[in-house]
Amino acid sequence: MDNQKKNEQETKGTRESQEAVPAEATAFSWRRLFSKKWVFPAVYMAAAALILTLVWVYQGGGTVEDAGGKQSVTETVMNPGQEAVPVAAPVETMQWPVKERGEVEQIMSFYEDKAADNIKQAALVEYGDTFTPHLGVDLARQDDKEFDVLAALSGKVSLVEKNPLVGYQVEITHPNGLVTVYQSLGGVNVQKGADVKKGDVIAKAGRNELEKDHGTHLHFEVRQGASGASVNPEQFLNPAGTTASTGTTSTTGTTDTTGTADAAGTTGTTGAAAQTGGTTGQATGASTQTSGTAAKK
């Protein structure tokens, strides 16, 4: 009996010792694992990846809603049929109001108050006994034939009328605030309120009463707004500062004509020219030239 109890006790102790060993070994293994430096960063990254995956699934699996239904993010980026975001359009530059610049001459220039006296005299328009500053540039063919007049910039036609002094006249208002004026027209192809593009044919060159000695020609002006002062068109047409060489001969001829008038003894007329030319109110000259009033006759 004692031997039997002794054997049972030994068997039980052996069994308990065998059960305790794996538990101690397992605890020791976990301690060794967590003692590694890379364990906690790996666990953190795995948890973060799991959270992001759950959020992605919750939000619809990476799709975006549009008018046509669901579309994947990849399709949205790669689909060439999507409407592109508009890019700011380049600023439009002014062109000469004729198709071929080399086919016409600049027969009269803009009146510059700071120019030399002989140049200012060449830029005066004589009508009756009155001299008025020329507020644009005049273009004509050598053979005195008519030619197409083009829109110098895109814009909206703001005026179409027949003036007793300057003939048919067209004004175009542009998005940049400038207004281009076309006078001495023989025929007009546009109506008030029409939208025109740069280079569109708007009329034919013709004749007018104010500058009848010039024959068939185009008078072209640029104004700073509908009621603003006229500015030299060449600063927009020749941004590099170059001027048309064809205008030298014509303006010299105008100077000679003025000189003949002075030699005839018209001292009073010359004084009037100097007084008119010296004024800086170019808007008054523009009104006289374009409105058709002959108040200074």
Side-chain angles (χ1 to χ4, degrees), residues 6 81 106 133 231:
K6 184 177 180 180
Q106 184 173 320
V231 293

Side-chain angles (χ1 to χ4, degrees), residues 75-109:
E75 290 175 350
T76 303
V77 175
M78 299 301 294
N79 189 356
Q82 295 292 326
E83 183 177 355
V85 177
V87 181
V91 178
E92 193 176 53
T93 57
M94 186 178 295
Q95 72 168 46
W96 285 91
V98 292
K99 186 175 182 180
E100 296 292 341
R101 177 65 182 90
E103 294 181 358
V104 296
E105 294 182 82
Q106 184 173 320
I107 59 175
M108 199 165 190
S109 301

Side-chain angles (χ1 to χ4, degrees), residues 19-86:
E19 292 177 354
V21 170
E24 292 178 359
T26 303
F28 180 74
S29 299
W30 280 107
R31 284 197 298 270
R32 290 185 60 184
L33 177 64
F34 285 111
S35 65
K36 303 294 183 180
K37 295 182 179 180
W38 54 268
V39 172
F40 287 104
V43 172
Y44 175 79
M45 293 181 65
L50 178 62
I51 293 173
L52 291 176
T53 303
L54 293 175
V55 171
W56 180 74
V57 173
Y58 178 78
Q59 290 182 348
T63 61
V64 292
E65 293 286 344
D66 59 9
K70 291 186 176 182
Q71 187 176 20
S72 68
V73 176
T74 304
E75 290 175 350
T76 303
V77 175
M78 299 301 294
N79 189 356
Q82 295 292 326
E83 183 177 355
V85 177

